[in-house]
């Protein structure tokens, strides 16, 4: 059945390998065919593009030649057009130059009017305003000196007042700090005492529980060890008894086999076995084996 199963599995494996090989071959064949088709399409599109480009280049060369011939025919008309363009351009330049000259003259006249207005009207006003500004600056300077003196006195009084308040506040802060330090020390002492009491209680309880756990563990370990020792002693006695029984049985069988062999080989009469002298047995032979041997010889 195992051989048939192996043959069936081998047949299935061969069929699977053949199907996979066929599938791979079909896929590679289809991929090769599609690649060849893409190459043919690419060659065809490249050929079409090349032919279109050559046709466009030929068409452009032909158009350029045709345009050159038209230019040769239209050379007199081109000369007349260039002359007309030069004349029109000259007229436009002259008109622009005239407008520019007029603009410069107008600008120069306006500048002269502005300079006259500045010298006769704006400059005296500026000097008057400057004089007023100088007088106002002197007045402000005098007022600034008075304000500076007043500001100095005010700052001195404010500084003295702040220093007085800061000194009193610093004295109060020192007293508050001392009271806070004493209060915090007392609180720390109380907390440390309570924490020490809790820790001592926890340590005493932990040591007591550890002592009980060690005592219980030793008791359980002693009971387990005694149980294992008694079980091992019992098993050892039982194995010793079984070994003795097996040894006796083996010795008896060996003695029987030896005596049977001796009966067959010896030419004596079977009735003379009882008068035979039994040699002394070794010390390590079990007494039950000796008894069995004597009984067997007498029977």
């Amino acid at each position: 059945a195992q051989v048939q199963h192996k043959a069936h599995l081998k047949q299935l494996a061969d069929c699977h390998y053949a199907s996979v090989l066929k599938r791979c071959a079909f896929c590679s064949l289809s991929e090769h065919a599609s690649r060849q088709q893409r190459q043919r399409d690419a060659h065809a599109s490249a050929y079409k593009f090349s032919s279109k480009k050559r046709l466009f280049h030929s068409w452009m060369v032909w158009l350029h030649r045709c345009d050159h011939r038209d230019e040769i025919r239209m050379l007199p008309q081109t000369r007349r057009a260039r002359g007309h363009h030069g004349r029109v351009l000259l007229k436009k330049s002259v008109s622009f130059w005239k407008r520019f000259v007029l603009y410069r003259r107008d600008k120069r006249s306006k500048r002269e009017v502005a300079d006259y207005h500045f010298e006769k009207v704006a400059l005296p006003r500026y000097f008057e305003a400057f004089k007023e500004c100088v007088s106002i600056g002197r007045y402000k300077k005098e007022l600034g000196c008075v304000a500076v003196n007043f500001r100095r006195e005010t700052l001195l009084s404010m500084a003295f007042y702040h220093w007085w308040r800061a000194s009193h506040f610093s004295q109060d802060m020192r007293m508050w700090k001392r009271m806070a330090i004493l209060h915090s020390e007392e609180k720390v002492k109380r907390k440390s005492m309570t924490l020490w009491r809790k820790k001592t209680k926890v340590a005493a309880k932990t040591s007591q529980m550890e002592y009980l756990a060690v005592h219980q563990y030793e008791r359980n370990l002693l009971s387990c060890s005694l149980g294992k020792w008694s079980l091992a002693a019992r098993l050892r006695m039982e194995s010793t008894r079984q070994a003795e029984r097996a040894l006796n049985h083996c010795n008896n069988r060996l003695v029987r086999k030896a005596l049977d062999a001796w009966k067959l080989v010896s030419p004596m009469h079977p009735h003379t076995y009882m008068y035979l002298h039994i040699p002394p047995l070794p010390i390590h032979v079990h007494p039950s084996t000796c008894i069995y041997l004597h009984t067997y010889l007498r029977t």
Side-chain angles (χ1 to χ4, degrees):
Q2 190 175 4
V3 175
Q4 291 179 359
H5 183 64
K6 286 183 179 180
H8 181 64
L9 290 176
K10 187 176 180 182
Q11 186 178 2
L12 289 175
D14 293 337
C15 293
H16 179 69
Y17 177 73
S19 62
V20 170
L21 188 63
K22 289 177 182 178
R23 195 182 299 113
C24 292
F26 181 73
C27 291
S28 62
L29 183 62
S30 61
E31 186 177 359
H32 180 68
S34 62
R35 190 184 297 111
Q36 286 184 351
Q37 184 65 31
R38 286 196 298 271
Q39 288 179 357
R40 286 194 295 270
D41 295 339
H43 283 302
S45 61
Y47 181 74
K48 288 180 181 179
F49 179 74
S50 176
S51 61
K52 286 181 180 179
K53 195 170 183 181
R54 287 197 298 271
L55 181 62
F56 178 75
H57 183 68
S58 303
W59 174 254
M60 292 300 295
V61 170
W62 183 74
L63 286 176
H64 181 68
R65 290 180 179 177
C66 290
D67 292 339
H68 188 65
R69 290 178 183 176
D70 293 337
E71 287 179 358
I72 292 170
R73 292 173 189 167
M74 296 174 66
L75 187 60
Q77 296 178 2
T78 306
R79 288 177 181 173
R80 289 194 295 273
R82 285 178 181 175
H84 177 70
H85 177 69
R87 289 191 295 272
V88 171
L89 188 62
L90 182 61
K91 288 180 181 179
K92 286 183 179 180
S93 301
V94 170
S95 63
F96 178 76
W97 178 72
K98 290 179 180 180
R99 288 196 301 272
F100 181 72
V101 169
L102 293 174
Y103 169 74
R104 291 291 295 175
R105 288 177 182 175
D106 187 25
K107 191 174 180 181
R108 189 180 297 113
S109 62
K110 287 180 180 179
R111 188 178 295 167
E112 290 176 354
V113 172
D115 292 337
Y116 178 78
H117 182 268
F118 177 74
E119 290 176 359
K120 299 297 181 181
V121 179
L123 193 61
R125 290 180 182 176
Y126 172 74
F127 280 119
E128 292 293 332
F130 180 71
K131 289 179 182 179
E132 290 180 1
C133 287
V134 168
S135 61
I136 291 169
R138 288 177 181 176
Y139 180 70
K140 284 183 178 180
K141 189 176 182 180
E142 293 175 357
L143 289 177
C145 291
V146 175
V148 166
N149 293 327
F150 179 74
R151 178 66 175 169
R152 186 182 296 112
E153 292 175 359
T154 306
L155 287 175
L156 287 173
S157 61
M158 288 177 66
F160 177 75
Y161 178 70
H162 283 297
W163 172 80
W164 183 75
R165 285 189 64 186
S167 63
H168 282 279
F169 184 72
S170 63
Q171 290 177 1
D172 295 338
M173 283 295 293
R174 289 194 197 99
M175 186 176 65
W176 294 341
K177 283 181 180 179
R178 289 174 184 173
M179 292 176 65
I181 289 167
L182 293 174
H183 181 67
S184 64
E185 287 179 354
E186 189 176 355
K187 285 188 73 175
V188 167
K189 287 179 182 179
R190 288 179 183 176
K191 286 184 179 180
S192 62
M193 287 296 293
T194 53
L195 184 63
W196 178 75
R197 288 175 184 172
K198 287 181 181 179
K199 285 187 176 180
T200 51
K201 287 181 182 179
V202 171
K205 191 174 181 180
T206 306
S207 62
Q208 186 179 2
M209 291 177 70
E210 287 179 355
Y211 174 75
L212 293 174
V214 169
H215 183 66
Q216 183 69 22
Y217 175 72
E218 290 176 352
R219 191 173 178 182
N220 292 334
L221 188 62
L222 182 60
S223 62
C224 291
S225 302
L226 288 173
K228 289 181 180 179
W229 177 78
S230 61
L231 181 62
R234 246 186 272 117
L235 291 173
R236 194 181 298 111
M237 291 175 64
E238 188 68 27
S239 63
T240 309
R241 289 175 186 172
Q242 290 180 2
E244 288 179 356
R245 290 174 185 171
L247 185 60
N248 292 333
H249 182 68
C250 183
N251 290 334
N252 293 334
R253 287 187 66 187
L254 286 173
V255 169
R256 182 180 290 177
K257 286 182 180 180
L259 292 175
D260 290 338
W262 184 54
K263 283 179 183 179
L264 293 173
V265 174
S266 180
M268 297 181 181
H269 198 269
H271 295 287
T272 59
Y273 289 125
M274 63 183 65
Y275 303 105
L276 290 174
H277 176 68
I278 299 172
L281 295 172
I283 298 172
H284 62 275
V285 178
H286 199 270
S288 61
T289 307
C290 298
I291 296 168
Y292 179 77
L293 179 59
H294 282 284
T295 307
Y296 184 78
L297 288 173
R298 286 188 178 88
T299 57

